[in-house]
Each structure stands twice: as structure tokens, then as C-alpha cells.
Amino acid sequence: EDKVVQSPLSLVVHEGDTVTLNCSYEVTNFRSLLWYKQEKKAPTFLFMLTSSGIEKKSGRLSSILDKKELFSILNITATQTGDSAVYLCAVVGGSQGNLIFGKGTKLSVKP
Amino acid sequence: ETGVTQSPTHLIKTRGQQVTLRCSSQSGHNTVSWYQQALGQGPQFIFQYYREEENGRGNFPPRFSGLQFPNYSSELNVNALELDDSALYLCASSRLLSGANVLTFGAGSRLTVL
């Protein structure tokens, strides 16, 4: 069975801290891995990763994929209260080629 | 460009009833997918529509059905509602490209079944 596992499930940090969110996967017919941020309802797209070892960056956020070890990490530096959200990892693959999501990591950033 | 819009935003139904949720795709997108997100869980794939036909389905029973219209808008219908159907239903659209599937999500419809 295809699965995506995220850790930790929840995390509380203080403003200015750096966090690393983890995503491991066992998915057949892997095509890509995506990260989304979900603040209230609509998940918003952060990154799509298809190749190992190539870091994607957007401001204080960065992500990298290891297709050999089947995992990805999402780093957030100098966290702000606005980073508080659920971060979802999803893999495109499986028999249907759809997004297979993990349960998410709930990040809370305290002032 | 307009994003993905869903209606209604919230609704309450009772067991056994039927519900229809609606979704307008982002401009330029030709594929729509529906996901169910239970509280504290990641979204689960229900099905996907392309060119008005279902072209992928997750592990959901037949009482979950859908439609896609020529303007790429979509409906999700759920019959014989059960308590466990209570969830956030997310619609997402994309432009179907080989090897890429960046979905744009709507804000969802929160369904409560009593």
C-alpha cells in the first residue's frame, strides 16, 4: 500500500527558531513530491520536487528530495508567527497518479 | 486569474440524506480532483475528472459520485450520508501535464453529518 509519513505530527517553537519537517514515502510509480501549507482550509502550494539533491528555495523556506532514501525535508529558518500552519507532504504516484498525502505536521510558532 | 471556488462553505445534514458540493476550476485548468480531509488527517483522494469523464478514483464507495461540466466546473455528490462522511471536502484543479500535477485547491466545503 502506498504511504506517506510525516514527522513530527506537531511542533511548537519560538519565533526565530529553525525547524526541519520530515516526509518519508513508499509510493509506486513515483513522479514528484509536493509540499503544501494549510493555514485554515485551502492548502497552498510551496514546492514541487522531482530530482534528488536539488534544493528548492523560497525566502526562508527550502526543501530537498532524496529519491534513494525516499524522503524529503522542509526547512524553515527564522520562523515567524505567520508560519504557524499545517504543512502537508504529498507524492504524485500510485496506480492512479494522484496526490497521496501524509497526515501533516502542525507547526505552532510562539512570539 | 480567478482561483478555485467551492460552495457551500459549510453545511449540516443528517444520516441518510444526500448532498451536492460544487466547484469552479481555476481559469485555464482542465482537470478537477476531489479530496476528503477528516479532522487531523491529510486529504484523501476521492476521484479526478478530465474531459468530463472520471479518470481516476480512490478507495471510496459508489455512493460518492461526481460530474465535470464543459466549462470544467464540477460537482461531488454523496448519497446515503453516514456520520463518518463528516469532513472538509476539497476541490482542486490543474492543467493536466505529463509528469507534473501541481494542484490548486479551493477553500473547501465543511460537511457535518448528524
Side-chain angles (χ1 to χ4, degrees):
Chain A
E1 181 184 347
D2 297 321
K3 62 179 180 180
V4 176
V5 178
Q6 293 186 244
S7 65
L9 292 180
S10 66
L11 187 58
V12 180
V13 300
H14 288 93
E15 274 192 316
D17 288 350
T18 294
V19 299
T20 298
L21 309 183
N22 303 293
C23 175
S24 63
Y25 61 92
E26 293 179 26
V27 176
T28 57
N29 304 315
F30 174 92
R31 297 182 192 177
S32 57
L33 184 145
L34 290 86
W35 286 94
Y36 283 87
K37 178 182 181 182
Q38 187 174 29
E39 293 181 78
K40 290 184 178 178
K41 288 187 177 181
T44 55
F45 172 74
L46 295 175
F47 298 112
M48 182 174 72
L49 303 155
T50 55
S51 301
S52 283
I54 300 175
E55 185 181 46
K56 293 284 185 86
K57 292 195 74 172
S58 177
R60 297 176 294 103
L61 279 66
S62 64
S63 183
I64 198 163
L65 173 67
D66 186 328
K67 291 171 70 174
K68 181 179 178 182
E69 300 297 329
L70 307 183
F71 78 90
S72 174
I73 60 172
L74 174 67
N75 282 316
I76 308 175
T77 59
T79 52
Q80 302 171 357
T81 55
D83 295 328
S84 296
V86 173
Y87 290 84
L88 294 166
C89 173
V91 173
V92 179
S95 59
Q96 308 278 356
N98 56 281
L99 282 178
I100 303 162
F101 281 89
K103 290 186 176 182
T105 294
K106 183 177 181 179
L107 174 65
S108 298
V109 181
K110 304 297 185 184
Chain B
E1 62 182 15
T2 57
V4 177
T5 58
Q6 294 187 241
S7 62
T9 55
H10 297 83
L11 69 166
I12 300 174
K13 294 284 188 178
T14 56
R15 285 176 58 189
Q17 285 189 312
Q18 179 266 343
V19 68
T20 297
L21 308 178
R22 294 178 175 83
C23 171
S24 293
S25 302
Q26 179 168 310
S27 176
H29 286 184
N30 56 12
T31 301
V32 65
S33 306
W34 286 91
Y35 286 78
Q36 179 196 67
Q37 187 175 23
L39 199 61
Q41 303 294 315
Q44 298 292 311
F45 176 64
I46 303 176
F47 43 56
Q48 176 175 285
Y49 278 82
Y50 173 65
R51 291 185 175 178
E52 302 176 48
E53 291 192 2
E54 183 182 295
N55 77 336
R57 189 178 182 94
N59 189 26
F60 280 81
R63 59 190 184 85
F64 286 78
S65 63
L67 287 172
Q68 185 185 29
F69 300 101
N71 65 353
Y72 305 121
S73 65
S74 177
E75 287 182 355
L76 164 65
N77 298 291
V78 188
N79 294 322
L81 284 167
E82 300 177 1
L83 298 179
D84 285 349
D85 295 334
S86 296
L88 179 67
Y89 287 85
L90 294 165
C91 172
S93 70
S94 62
R95 184 157 186 83
L96 191 64
L97 293 172
S98 175
N101 199 9
V102 178
L103 302 186
T104 301
F105 284 87
S109 295
R110 172 75 65 187
L111 171 65
T112 301
V113 182
L114 302 176

